[in-house]
Amino acid sequence: MKPFFRWGLFVLATLSVVFAARILTISSAPLAAPESSRTQAPEFPADLSWINTDKPLSLKKLHGKIVLLDFWTYGCINCIHIIPDLEKLQNQYADQLVIIGVHSAKFQNEKDAANIRSAVLRYHIDHPVVVDNNLQIWTSYGVHAWPTLILIDPNGRIAGRWAGEGQFGKIDTAINELVNTFRSRNELDETPLKMALDSASVARTPLLFPGKVLSQSGKLYIADTGHNRIVETDSSGKVLSVIGSGQSGLKDGDFKTAQFNAPQGMTLSADEKVLFVADTDNHAIRAINFVTQKVTTIAGTGEQASYGSSGGIGTKAALSSPWDILRVGDIIYIAMAGNHQIWSLNLDNKKVSVFAGSGSEARTDGTRRFAALAQPYGLATDGKELFVADSESSSIRQVDLPQTGDEVKTLAGGDLFDFGDRNGNGMNARFQHPLGVATDGKVLFIADAYNHRIRKLNLADDNVTTLLGSSRGMTTGKNPMFYEPGGLSLDGEKLYIADTNNNRILVDDLNSGITTALNINVPLPASATATKSRKENVIAVPKVLLAPGTKSTFTLDVTLPAGHHLNTMSPLGMTLEVKGTGLQFAQTTIDKAHFRLPLKVSFTTAKSGEGTLHVDADVYYCTNDFGLCEWKELKFEVPYSIGAKGQNAITLSHTIDR
């Protein structure tokens, strides 16, 4: 749980409060509050943006429903941890409960609705989310920490409040109590709420939110995080193998049947025959053996470790959101984001233990035992030190390896609520939620995710400069732009970059300064194509009277949302089907090579006839400034007849709204 206090405007939270709030689980009550003590829940402001719904929601319109508000911010690991709980509650009470995510940002970058939408897609969130950038809802409900969950009864009154993760049982009990009470009085609306999920209109890309990348000995290993798999390529991006079915789960087996759940960091064995993977949402470390073509679990129970856990042996040791891993000799170091620590896994005896960090969420230097980290997401080493992307403190930390010493210190950056975008020396520099690091022993390269930049830290003097990136985007060349890059890997003079929200891998030539995107043509997993939800809504068109015996033109004119363009690399296409007589098209299938807007196709009419023209167009489009691409299927039914005084054209115009 992350506290966030307000003194008029937001100011820094004291470290003592951060420690206390992280350790304690705060709850108002295990059951729903008595009806006599419930207060009316404040209504939502009318002018806020919404995600995963085609119209704003209000408590008034949700009267009769049980509502659960989840106050979150998308960089918060504690908020990420409760997403599975929310999904379980949503499935369990599908007809009675409406979950609404109230996104109340910490970082400046988290205030952008497009960035929040990317996070919603990345974390597979399928409930409505309201963008509470000015913290109007946060303030009206008196919230002080992420995550906070507030339960509202069918009469619009606050029935319960819980802060922090690990609250599933209490919330489940409270919801069940409300269901029984209000159902017995016929005051419960059990009509399913129709959803309009943003994921239904997003085009699937070969890579989906790749989190980390590893390059070694001419091969590239990509954590295809959104597709729950690992992709192996050569240095040019040619696919060599795909590990994982794409279905989320914790399942050992061969490359086709094994399952991962949002994998992130990777590291190789000394002989490079085994790739170790931080299987983040499975809270496990997996081993991919390229000789046997098998995947096994070597650490983690599959369940999230509780706060204060200290390890164990192999698959009996519970982990908490391992985000990155790095092998040094026979030890794998683990960026244990969920526990704000660095752990170690001994490959000889499979012992898992805490290596650095007290478990408090803070930026505190000192000995490894007493120092504190804040959501470590990236690791690198020069053989003597570990370098850590400490995301929530927006800083770069250095941890002594055992042969070097016992200290943790901050090399550059700010603190929990002290972040920004500024070059400079050491503590004068500012980052915004860095996620990845890589080093050649002299320079530390940093994926400064929320600033959409790649930074350089000179290890001789701790001076920070910008290497690549100027703002959010997806260009390449000598002025590349990124969108929340998450992972880096250095191989000689090549810096490989997991450009996460642009769904691509880039390689920067440090000699020439030219950045290029790798063409990685990996098939979509079966689970992705099978679950793609197509909207079957058909657009009805008034009946058209066509002139007899003429050559005419059919036109499809689609207006894209402002700032968007057609994605010509996607499977654009249109099919025309005539169910009737008297109408013949020069071509009935248009592929992506010929799909341009407005799209024109010639047709001829006979002397008489009637029927219905069925039009089915797949329109894929991307924003001009960054790489999130969307998909819209447009279906039209055009009734027609042929007769005197008819027209010699069919024109369909449609505007796609955001």
Side-chain angles (χ1 to χ4, degrees):
M1 177 178 57
K2 302 179 188 301
F4 198 9
F5 296 92
R6 288 169 54 92
W7 299 338
L9 297 174
F10 293 119
V11 295
L12 299 181
T14 62
L15 292 180
S16 60
V17 175
V18 175
F19 294 159
R22 181 61 186 88
I23 293 172
L24 298 176
T25 296
I26 304 170
S27 175
S28 59
L31 302 177
E35 283 193 70
S36 59
S37 66
R38 297 175 194 169
T39 59
Q40 198 67 28
E43 185 57 272
F44 308 137
D47 58 346
L48 301 183
S49 298
W50 288 77
I51 300 166
N52 276 346
T53 176
D54 56 3
K55 56 183 177 297
L57 302 180
S58 68
L59 293 178
K60 181 179 180 180
K61 292 180 180 178
L62 293 173
H63 183 82
K65 289 287 189 185
I66 300 167
V67 177
L68 182 64
L69 303 182
D70 169 33
F71 289 84
W72 69 300
T73 186
Y74 74 78
C76 157
I77 193 68
N78 311 98
C79 301
I80 295 170
H81 284 163
I82 71 166
I83 291 174
D85 289 348
L86 297 175
E87 184 177 357
K88 283 193 292 184
L89 290 170
Q90 185 167 280
N91 291 335
Q92 189 168 333
Y93 301 101
D95 298 338
Q96 301 86 25
L97 176 68
V98 176
I99 297 174
I100 297 175
V102 183
H103 191 276
S104 308
K106 168 187 172 180
F107 291 98
Q108 185 67 31
N109 184 70
E110 292 174 332
K111 295 182 178 181
D112 188 313
N115 299 346
I116 299 168
R117 183 169 180 267
S118 288
V120 166
L121 296 170
R122 188 164 66 245
Y123 296 134
H124 306 290
I125 293 172
D126 58 1
H127 55 255
V129 173
V130 58
V131 180
D132 187 30
N133 274 348
N134 294 321
L135 304 178
Q136 295 167 269
I137 305 177
W138 170 287
T139 303
S140 67
Y141 280 85
V143 176
H144 298 291
W146 300 287
T148 292
L149 297 117
I150 294 179
L151 186 65
I152 302 172
D153 73 18
N155 284 330
R157 296 170 299 184
I158 296 176
R161 175 189 296 258
W162 300 266
E165 56 184 278
Q167 309 282 4
F168 176 82
K170 297 174 184 178
I171 298 172
D172 181 27
T173 300
I175 293 173
N176 188 60
E177 180 182 312
L178 292 179
V179 168
N180 292 334
T181 299
F182 283 85
R183 178 183 282 159
S184 68
R185 301 193 316 222
N186 293 319
E187 295 178 1
L188 182 64
D189 180 357
E190 301 192 59
T191 304
L193 183 69
K194 293 183 178 181
M195 303 293 293
L197 300 181
D198 282 40
S199 58
S201 61
V202 174
R204 288 290 188 174
T205 50
L207 299 176
L208 186 62
F209 299 115
K212 298 290 184 183
V213 61
L214 173 65
S215 178
Q216 194 163 317
S217 302
K219 290 184 178 180
L220 203 61
Y221 306 93
I222 301 162
D224 191 8
T225 309
H227 283 145
N228 303 302
R229 63 183 180 179
I230 305 298
V231 177
E232 179 195 22
T233 76
D234 64 15
S235 58
S236 69
K238 180 182 178 182
V239 176
L240 302 177
S241 59
V242 178
I243 304 98
S245 67
Q247 184 72 37
S248 65
L250 178 56
K251 180 180 179 181
D252 292 343
D254 59 36
F255 284 8
K256 290 185 178 180
T257 60
Q259 294 177 355
F260 299 87
N261 194 355
Q264 290 281 348
M266 300 159 289
T267 192
L268 281 163
S269 62
D271 61 7
E272 301 185 7
K273 294 179 180 179
V274 178
L275 180 72
F276 301 101
V277 179
D279 196 3
T280 303
D281 283 3
N282 276 328
H283 310 290
I285 306 299
R286 316 291 293 281
I288 298 172
N289 191 311
F290 288 100
V291 177
T292 64
Q293 302 274 290
K294 298 288 185 182
V295 177
T296 57
T297 303
I298 63 170
T301 64
E303 299 293 330
Q304 182 192 340
S306 60
Y307 179 77
S309 297
S310 57
I313 303 298
T315 54
K316 295 183 179 180
L319 312 181
S320 182
S321 295
W323 211 277
D324 201 7
I325 54 177
L326 181 66
R327 183 188 61 82
V328 180
D330 293 328
I331 303 295
I332 290 179
Y333 293 96
I334 306 168
M336 199 69 73
N339 279 349
H340 311 290
Q341 295 171 318
I342 307 298
W343 285 24
S344 64
L345 165 62
N346 189 308
L347 290 173
D348 289 334
N349 57 23
K350 300 300 185 291
K351 182 180 179 180
V352 181
S353 56
V354 177
F355 177 69
S358 64
S360 296
E361 184 177 11
R363 198 211 75 188
T364 306
D365 293 344
T367 61
R368 288 200 301 264
R369 179 181 176 186
F370 294 105
L373 299 112
Q375 212 168 298
Y377 268 2
L379 297 175
T381 187
D382 62 357
K384 298 178 181 179
E385 311 284 354
L386 282 180
F387 303 105
V388 183
D390 207 32
S391 64
E392 278 296 295
S393 69
S394 294
S395 65
I396 302 300
R397 316 291 294 281
Q398 176 180 294
V399 181
D400 288 341
L401 289 172
Q403 65 269 28
T404 304
D406 186 37
E407 295 295 314
V408 177
K409 69 176 184 178
T410 304
L411 296 182
D415 211 328
L416 287 175
F417 292 88
D418 187 8
F419 49 83
D421 183 5
R422 186 171 73 207
N423 292 328
N425 187 265
M427 303 306 180
N428 291 320
R430 289 292 178 270
F431 306 98
Q432 191 179 181
H433 209 264
L435 296 183
V437 283
T439 187
D440 61 2
K442 297 179 181 179
V443 172
L444 188 70
F445 299 91
I446 303 160
D448 190 6
Y450 285 5
N451 284 324
H452 316 290
R453 304 185 194 278
I454 307 301
R455 314 287 284 279
K456 288 171 57 177
L457 187 154
N458 190 318
L459 293 173
D461 59 10
D462 294 341
N463 190 51
V464 175
T465 56
T466 298
L467 174 68
L468 300 168
S470 56
S471 62
R472 187 184 72 186
M474 69 173 304
T475 58
T476 54
K478 287 202 171 185
N479 296 296
M481 299 171 73
F482 310 96
Y483 192 6
E484 294 191 12
L488 300 175
S489 184
L490 188 64
D491 195 356
E493 295 300 313
K494 305 285 187 181
L495 181 65
Y496 291 87
I497 304 162
D499 192 11
T500 303
N501 283 8
N502 277 330
N503 304 310
R504 63 181 183 171
I505 302 298
L506 302 179
V507 55
D508 180 66
D509 188 315
L510 297 175
N511 287 326
S512 68
I514 295 176
T515 305
T516 55
L518 295 181
N519 182 20
I520 300 173
N521 189 19
V522 57
L524 289 174
S527 59
T529 55
T531 59
K532 183 175 180 180
S533 175
R534 287 186 168 253
K535 297 181 179 179
E536 295 298 332
N537 293 333
V538 176
I539 302 169
V541 177
K543 189 172 184 179
V544 177
L545 179 63
L546 297 172
T550 63
K551 183 176 182 180
S552 305
T553 302
F554 167 86
T555 302
L556 175 64
D557 191 7
V558 178
T559 301
L560 302 176
H564 289 68
H565 60 84
L566 285 179
N567 179 5
T568 57
M569 298 180 65
S570 67
L572 293 161
M574 182 180 69
T575 59
L576 301 166
E577 182 182 8
V578 177
K579 292 186 177 180
T581 59
L583 197 62
Q584 184 170 356
F585 282 85
Q587 54 189 129
T588 56
T589 301
I590 310 298
D591 60 18
K592 69 177 182 180
H594 301 93
F595 195 104
R596 300 292 183 269
L597 294 176
L599 185 59
K600 296 180 181 292
V601 182
S602 62
F603 67 90
T604 56
T605 56
K607 292 182 179 180
S608 63
E610 63 178 351
T612 302
L613 169 64
H614 295 264
V615 182
D616 191 347
D618 281 307
V619 183
Y620 293 82
Y621 52 100
C622 305
T623 54
N624 292 329
D625 61 339
F626 65 99
L628 182 63
C629 292
E630 303 188 50
W631 160 80
K632 183 82 170 180
E633 183 182 35
L634 300 177
K635 287 177 173 285
F636 300 88
E637 287 185 356
V638 187
Y640 71 90
S641 62
I642 300 172
K645 298 183 180 180
Q647 61 193 46
N648 61 356
I650 300 175
T651 300
L652 302 179
S653 298
H654 184 79
T655 298
I656 298 177
D657 297 319
R658 270 295 293 115

